[in-house]
Amino acid sequence: MMTRGYRNTVRFAPIALAVGAMLGMGMIVPAAQSEEGKKIEIVAKDKEWKVSGYTLKDEPTEIVIRNEDTVTHGFNSSLFKDVKVKVEGDGYQAKGKGSNVYRVDPGKTMILHFTKASTGMGEGSDTYAFWCDMHPHMKGEMFVLSLRGQGGG
């Protein structure tokens, strides 16, 4: 017997894969999820982003950013608007660049913890851009899924 959460996750995951592949900005695939929350993993390599994972609205989330490049990369996202972010690991907030611009040096890993609340307006999936403020060509997208709305959740 399938639970409602599983059924809806299956419905949205192929959409995330298709959109990510069509945009050419990194593919987003479901990753193994922890009990505490959801995880998105982003790797900077060869001055490109490689993305895996997803998150859900109203769920604790961590974004793990690994810099496998030879230069420092910045990380900013429209996802962080009106969200309190906690930084762990080897990353740091970029001074003088705004409240949600983070940096991670070569060979280092940064973990960002947050919860994106539902707005109450139109339950569904949202796409959030992210980019390196130091390398304008490095852009990508993340998906925040909602399992409510369909099926009466």
Side-chain angles (χ1 to χ4, degrees):
M1 177 174 178
M2 293 174 47
T3 65
R4 181 175 40 208
Y6 179 77
R7 180 178 63 234
N8 288 332
T9 300
V10 171
R11 184 178 303 146
F12 286 114
I15 293 169
L17 286 169
V19 171
M22 287 188 304
L23 293 174
M25 294 185 193
M27 189 165 22
I28 299 174
V29 295
Q33 302 300 318
S34 66
E35 293 285 324
E36 302 82 42
K38 304 299 176 195
K39 185 185 330 184
I40 297 172
E41 295 197 36
I42 301 174
V43 176
K45 187 171 184 173
D46 301 325
K47 295 193 175 125
E48 291 183 352
W49 298 114
K50 311 281 191 262
V51 184
S52 64
Y54 65 96
T55 189
L56 302 172
K57 291 179 185 174
D58 298 315
E59 292 285 330
T61 298
E62 67 180 33
I63 298 178
V64 178
I65 302 166
R66 298 181 203 292
N67 186 350
E68 295 180 2
D69 251 332
T70 57
V71 297
T72 298
H73 286 295
F75 188 83
N76 194 356
S77 176
S78 57
L79 176 64
F80 301 141
K81 183 178 185 215
D82 301 322
V83 173
K84 183 175 172 111
V85 178
K86 178 183 171 189
V87 182
E88 288 185 354
D90 300 316
Y92 51 94
Q93 188 171 3
K95 291 182 173 43
K97 296 292 182 179
S99 61
N100 291 315
V101 179
Y102 305 95
R103 298 273 165 77
V104 61
D105 293 325
K108 303 292 183 180
T109 298
M110 165 174 62
I111 304 169
L112 305 175
H113 297 272
F114 64 95
T115 298
K116 182 67 175 179
S118 296
T119 60
M121 299 167 34
E123 295 294 328
S125 299
D126 294 316
T127 302
Y128 293 94
F130 65 89
W131 57 92
C132 174
D133 67 306
M134 302 172 73
H135 305 100
H137 67 281
M138 289 183 68
K139 300 176 184 175
E141 291 186 325
M142 296 177 280
F143 290 90
V144 178
L145 307 176
S146 176
L147 297 181
R148 299 179 199 177
Q150 296 195 10

